[in-house]
Amino acid sequence: MSGKSSDLLYLTLWFCTTNFVKQNQATDSKKNICSTLARDENFTFRAAYWAELHGLLYRALLPNTVLWGHLFLSFSVSDDRTSVRVMAKVIQTDEITEIVGDLLIGADGCLSAIRKYFLPDLKLRYSGYCAWRGVMDFSGNETSDIVMGLRNAYPELGKCIYFDLAPGTHAVLYELRKNRINWMWYVNNPEPELKGNAVTMKVSSDMIEKMHKEAGKIWVPELARLMKETEEPFVNVIYDRNPLERLFWDNVVIIGDAAHPTTPHGLRSTNMSILDAAVLGKCLEKWGSGNVNSALEEFQSIRLPVVSKQVLHSRKMGRIKQGLALPDRKTFDPKSASPEECEELQQKKMPFFTNAPVPVIST
Ligand SMILES: Cc1cc2nc3c(=O)[nH]c(=O)nc-3n(C[C@H](O)[C@H](O)[C@H](O)COP(=O)(O)OP(=O)(O)OC[C@H]3O[C@@H](n4cnc5c(N)ncnc54)[C@H](O)[C@@H]3O)c2cc1C
């Protein structure tokens, strides 16, 4: 844990008891209309705050399981392959500390240093587009022009996740609890140069101004205004990676974005990470601490086929929605798409959407 618990308001998706609606719609900013392309009335997902998700996980752990403010530096596997020694820096004191365990689980995100150790030449694949992102807090302004305008243009806000599609681009919009609206806008462009170890890009005021101008040309006025009035919008550069051939080496395993960096269009990257952790936990429980290798074998055999297909499907969905070329179909145009093409936008087309396998545990 780096100790930087992000409060960013992301779309994190879980199964939930109340139904959400998901709507893909074509935007015509000249006529100021949106027409439905695909709609799912039983979209059993919902958005959550990172802080709440982290809190839930943290409270489920035994005290002192989490070492805050420790920066992972390096690791080594013992000669007999039964233990792993990790070196970490305590950020507050700069002290270097050593931690020895049976197993190292690399859950260190899409730029994983642990994955890099085994696959030093592996590069992420730039998707061809970046996402402008922002969250507007309208606490105390619930009846302001902008909020009422949005509620008028997007009448199901609060129980619907809207995907607005225009030729060669798409945007996502939904309301979060506590009076906030989260939006993303995917823009095709050459790969930008990133500084440091991050996939988030610093943006200049010129870039923001240009984004506002473009939004006015592409989106309905209410969405363009939301983008304009959101403080501190930022850019995520979107990457993924062809599926790996393996997820563990001796007693080091990678999970989550470290194991399968993915584009966000499957709306399930967090679910994938959570399921990895759940399946790994079950496998370790099943095989016991004396048989870590068998547990990792089973974990890999269950999760690798699932996450591999999901990463590639998400990539395909991103390319469809961004109007990018695909080998097996013509470029998607929301203005002229056939019903069959629109059906492809449905989230439930994701492989293993409702039936991701779990380990069999005999009782
Ligand atoms: C534009 C965009 C939209 C998205 N939308 C969705 C969505 O709708 N639904 C969804 O489910 N997901 C979405 N995601 C993806 C989601 O955020 C990730 O899939 C998820 O966070 C992966 O979880 P993880 O735990 O594997 O990695 P991360 O959340 O990246 O966590 C890795 C952790 O490791 C820590 N770390 C890294 N290196 C070190 C080190 N050396 N020492 C100590 N700590 C370290 C980091 O600080 C971080 O806390 C989206 C992502 C993007 C970019």
Side-chain angles (χ1 to χ4, degrees):
M1 285 267 176
S2 65
K4 217 181 75 191
S5 174
S6 166
D7 265 346
L8 267 187
L9 305 164
Y10 248 101
L11 178 61
T12 295
L13 300 161
W14 314 50
F15 285 103
C16 75
T17 45
T18 48
N19 283 347
F20 226 70
V21 177
K22 173 177 177 279
Q23 178 153 311
N24 283 280
Q25 50 189 28
T27 293
D28 188 332
S29 64
K30 289 206 181 89
K31 295 186 190 147
N32 191 17
I33 49 164
C34 292
S35 49
T36 303
L37 296 171
R39 184 173 162 93
D40 185 350
E41 298 282 349
N42 296 302
F43 189 52
T44 50
F45 280 18
R46 77 170 176 199
Y49 286 92
W50 275 122
E52 287 173 3
L53 181 55
H54 288 163
L56 269 175
L57 293 170
Y58 186 67
R59 284 190 296 277
L61 294 168
L62 293 172
N64 304 323
T65 305
V66 177
L67 300 178
W68 294 111
H70 282 59
L71 183 71
F72 163 88
L73 296 177
S74 64
F75 71 90
S76 58
V77 176
S78 64
D79 290 344
D80 64 0
R81 310 280 186 240
T82 58
S83 66
V84 189
R85 186 178 300 269
V86 167
M87 305 303 284
K89 183 162 95 174
V90 184
I91 294 169
Q92 265 192 346
T93 59
D94 273 355
E95 178 201 343
I96 305 294
T97 172
E98 190 182 277
I99 301 155
V100 179
D102 304 325
L103 170 68
L104 173 62
I105 302 170
D108 52 345
C110 69
L111 299 171
S112 171
I114 295 171
R115 183 188 68 222
K116 220 169 262 167
Y117 177 88
F118 296 104
L119 303 166
D121 299 327
L122 184 141
K123 295 231 163 18
L124 295 181
R125 184 200 68 101
Y126 174 58
S127 63
Y129 47 89
C130 296
W132 275 100
R133 309 188 60 181
V135 177
M136 189 186 73
D137 182 350
F138 59 92
S139 307
N141 296 310
E142 288 83 349
T143 53
S144 60
D145 279 2
I146 180 167
V147 175
M148 297 315 280
L150 278 165
R151 294 214 186 280
N152 204 19
Y154 298 90
E156 292 174 284
L157 211 54
K159 60 183 173 81
C160 180
I161 172 165
Y162 286 97
F163 289 75
D164 280 9
L165 283 82
T169 189
H170 78 289
V172 188
L173 163 80
Y174 56 93
E175 184 176 352
L176 292 157
R177 290 187 303 110
K178 303 181 193 165
N179 298 325
R180 287 169 166 104
I181 294 181
N182 193 19
W183 60 267
M184 280 156 239
W185 174 16
Y186 296 94
V187 180
N188 296 342
N189 49 27
E191 183 171 2
E193 210 176 299
L194 277 171
K195 294 200 175 80
N197 201 29
V199 291
T200 303
M201 207 167 84
K202 277 216 155 132
V203 292
S204 63
S205 47
D206 283 358
M207 287 167 74
I208 295 175
E209 202 176 310
K210 195 165 160 241
M211 180 269 283
H212 290 161
K213 271 196 193 136
E214 285 299 304
K217 289 184 214 155
I218 296 172
W219 304 120
V220 293
E222 293 79 6
L223 178 56
R225 186 168 173 199
L226 170 69
M227 291 172 171
K228 200 167 182 180
E229 297 201 9
T230 298
E231 282 173 26
E232 298 183 14
F234 59 99
V235 169
N236 272 150
V237 186
I238 307 297
Y239 294 98
D240 69 5
R241 173 66 223 160
N242 282 347
L244 300 181
E245 283 170 15
R246 56 192 300 181
L247 300 178
F248 77 97
W249 296 260
D250 296 319
N251 42 357
V252 182
V253 60
I254 50 176
I255 65 168
D257 274 10
H260 38 76
T262 184
T263 56
H265 315 290
L267 302 182
R268 62 186 309 116
S269 335
T270 307
N271 298 47
M272 288 160 81
S273 304
I274 292 172
L275 264 175
D276 283 351
V279 171
L280 178 59
K282 286 280 168 212
C283 292
L284 290 166
E285 187 185 6
K286 175 175 168 181
W287 289 95
S289 58
N291 218 341
V292 169
N293 201 269
S294 300
L296 298 184
E297 283 284 0
E298 183 165 7
F299 164 73
Q300 178 174 277
S301 72
I302 292 173
R303 289 301 291 159
L304 193 53
V306 175
V307 296
S308 302
K309 286 207 169 105
Q310 292 185 330
V311 166
L312 294 178
H313 185 80
S314 182
R315 180 185 296 179
K316 185 173 86 177
M317 283 189 72
R319 293 192 71 83
I320 292 176
K321 290 184 171 185
Q322 287 300 102
L324 294 168
L326 277 160
D328 57 343
R329 69 196 61 223
K330 68 176 175 42
T331 307
F332 185 82
D333 180 349
K335 286 188 177 156
S336 58
S338 67
E340 294 73 33
E341 287 174 312
C342 293
E343 193 55 24
E344 291 269 16
L345 305 174
Q346 295 280 21
Q347 226 61 45
K348 58 189 172 211
K349 295 276 172 185
M350 169 63 73
F352 303 100
F353 183 69
T354 52
N355 59 348
V358 291
V360 177
I361 300 185
S362 51
T363 47

